[in-house]
Amino acid sequence: MLFHMVSDGPQPVAPFSHAVEVDGFVFVTGQMPDTPSNPGLLPDGIEAQTRNVMANLTTILAGLGLGLEHVVVARAFLTEFKRDYAAFNATYKSFFPHDRLPARTCVGTTGLAYDALVEIDLIARRGAAPPLSSSEQKD
């Protein structure tokens, strides 16, 4: 196993690595909506917080030579699920091609670090270019 800390990544809010890699799979720790330059300071609203979380995830992936195209699974946690679910989805999906969305779980929770509205973790896969989506495959 490889334990990764990305030098320009966000400050961890607890004792953990940014990512752990084993057998080509990269497990990226859930990210908060702060920024590396302003730890603990969160923007207002689910859209801005989702953009910051995705930026932090992208920074970690890039530090490991990966991108969002390598993401297999995402797990999202929302503290105001009913209120924020639609706006979260609209912002989240803008980071992926419409035909290459990773598998995902999204759950409501009672609280997150920094009183954040959203946290997302990822599982990515190292290797060759991702395969074609089912809509791109030819018979």
Side-chain angles (χ1 to χ4, degrees), residues 27 70 83:
F27 301 85
H70 295 97
R83 182 191 74 192

Side-chain angles (χ1 to χ4, degrees), residues 25-26 28 54 57-58 61 66-75 92 95-96 100-104 120-126 130-131:
F25 285 96
V26 179
V28 180
M54 294 303 292
L57 291 166
T58 301
L61 289 170
L66 299 169
L68 291 173
E69 68 274 12
H70 295 97
V71 174
V72 178
V73 176
R75 292 185 301 184
Y92 170 86
F95 286 86
F96 299 96
R100 286 188 169 297
L101 296 168
R104 190 186 89 183
I120 302 171
D121 67 17
L122 302 174
I123 300 172
R125 179 79 162 100
R126 227 179 249 291

Side-chain angles (χ1 to χ4, degrees), residues 23-38:
D23 296 331
F25 285 96
V26 179
F27 301 85
V28 180
T29 297
Q31 293 301 303
M32 293 288 99
D34 58 345
T35 62
S37 60
N38 289 307

Side-chain angles (χ1 to χ4, degrees), residues 39-118:
L41 297 177
L42 308 183
D44 291 331
I46 190 65
E47 294 92 345
Q49 288 197 19
T50 301
R51 284 191 296 274
N52 278 10
V53 168
M54 294 303 292
N56 287 337
L57 291 166
T58 301
T59 296
I60 292 166
L61 289 170
L64 303 177
L66 299 169
L68 291 173
E69 68 274 12
H70 295 97
V71 174
V72 178
V73 176
R75 292 185 301 184
F77 306 89
L78 304 177
T79 58
E80 298 290 340
F81 192 87
K82 286 183 183 182
R83 182 191 74 192
D84 290 341
Y85 186 66
F88 165 76
N89 279 329
T91 304
Y92 170 86
K93 76 178 182 178
S94 72
F95 286 86
F96 299 96
H98 76 281
D99 60 345
R100 286 188 169 297
L101 296 168
R104 190 186 89 183
T105 299
C106 185
V107 297
T109 186
T110 60
L112 296 169
Y114 296 143
D115 290 325
L117 298 174
V118 60

